[in-house]
Amino acid sequence: MPSDQGAQTGIILTTALATFVTGWLFGVFTTRGYLISPGLAEERRRFHRDPVESDESDVDEDDTLLDHAPNWANGVQADRRQGLRVGAGAAAAAPGIVDNGEECKLVLVVRTDLGMTKGKIAAQCSHATLACFKALSRAAPDSPQRKVLSRWEKLGQAKIAVQVKGQDEMLELRRRARALGLTAEVIQDAGRTQIEAGSMTVLGVGPAPKSLVDQVTGHLKLL
């Protein structure tokens, strides 16, 4: 009887050890790409070669804010002096926005002619989102703009990324948006990583009712 129990214990320990070793080897081989398809392996290699945009810091070595994003701490006037914004936000005078209960969205218009990487595009879209949010948040608390912003926040903060092929097209879209009373913010890059300093990278339109935003960006292709 004791010998049977010893044999069972040995079998259990051997099985546990074999399972551990097998799982460890499987994890190592999967991590190194030996057990995935060639296409997925190539995509992972491209991802690792892609410059990591998150390595950029919002604070430079001398503790000054980088100029690839609006300087919220110093206000709108400081942003304009430093060239961080292209024109003023439209939230203060937006006769076209009416709080009619319609679903709202923010559209991010990205230039594809600059050759930005996925990480760079993500960073620039983040800047544009924050710029539009801040512009609308400056409106009076009981204004239609603030009500639209509040509804957008509560209902999932819908964001759509679309593409344009050049600066002229982007500026024309901004002109149309502001003519309709929509918030429209253009982000300029500092040129510290991939593209020329001062390049206009992303236009944010909204948040605003879908029907209004679609009059400006509804014809554009998704990014």
Side-chain angles (χ1 to χ4, degrees):
M1 191 70 174
S3 61
D4 291 341
Q5 291 180 344
Q8 290 178 355
T9 301
I11 292 173
I12 292 173
L13 291 175
T14 302
T15 303
L17 181 60
T19 302
F20 171 78
V21 172
T22 301
W24 180 78
L25 289 174
F26 180 80
V28 170
F29 276 72
T30 301
T31 302
R32 298 195 175 190
Y34 298 138
L35 300 180
I36 61 178
S37 66
L40 183 56
E42 176 60 25
E43 183 177 349
R44 290 183 58 177
R45 282 193 292 271
R46 288 199 307 268
F47 173 78
H48 287 299
R49 288 196 299 265
D50 205 14
V52 181
E53 193 62 25
S54 59
D55 284 346
E56 290 186 356
S57 171
D58 285 338
V59 180
D60 207 347
E61 293 179 357
D62 57 355
D63 293 331
T64 58
L65 293 177
L66 296 180
D67 56 353
H68 63 263
N71 184 349
W72 305 122
N74 295 330
V76 177
Q77 295 303 323
D79 291 346
R80 292 175 188 160
R81 286 196 303 271
Q82 298 172 23
L84 310 187
R85 291 169 180 264
V86 182
I97 292 184
V98 177
D99 182 26
N100 57 5
E102 183 181 355
E103 187 177 354
C104 299
K105 67 179 179 180
L106 168 67
V107 173
L108 300 162
V109 183
V110 180
R111 283 180 60 184
T112 57
D113 60 309
L114 295 174
M116 294 184 288
T117 63
K118 291 177 287 187
K120 186 71 173 179
I121 290 173
Q124 297 298 301
C125 285
S126 298
H127 297 326
T129 299
L130 186 56
C132 290
F133 179 88
K134 288 289 186 177
L136 272 178
S137 66
R138 296 189 185 100
D142 58 346
S143 66
Q145 293 87 355
R146 285 290 290 273
K147 293 178 181 178
V148 164
L149 180 62
S150 178
R151 187 165 65 254
W152 177 74
E153 285 187 274
K154 293 177 181 178
L155 298 180
Q157 304 164 23
K159 306 173 194 70
I160 310 297
V162 296
Q163 55 182 292
V164 292
K165 296 182 179 179
Q167 177 175 304
D168 291 342
E169 186 178 1
M170 174 179 284
L171 292 178
E172 173 59 21
L173 292 171
R174 185 187 66 172
R175 185 195 66 77
R176 291 184 199 171
R178 290 184 174 174
L180 291 173
L182 300 176
T183 298
E185 295 287 343
V186 171
I187 299 301
Q188 286 183 292
D189 190 69
R192 294 175 183 264
T193 53
Q194 301 173 15
I195 58 179
E196 184 179 352
S199 299
M200 300 179 190
T201 56
V202 176
L203 164 68
V205 179
K210 280 187 172 182
S211 59
L212 273 177
V213 177
D214 285 343
Q215 292 182 43
V216 180
T217 63
H219 65 288
L220 299 175
K221 292 182 179 180
L222 294 175
L223 183 64

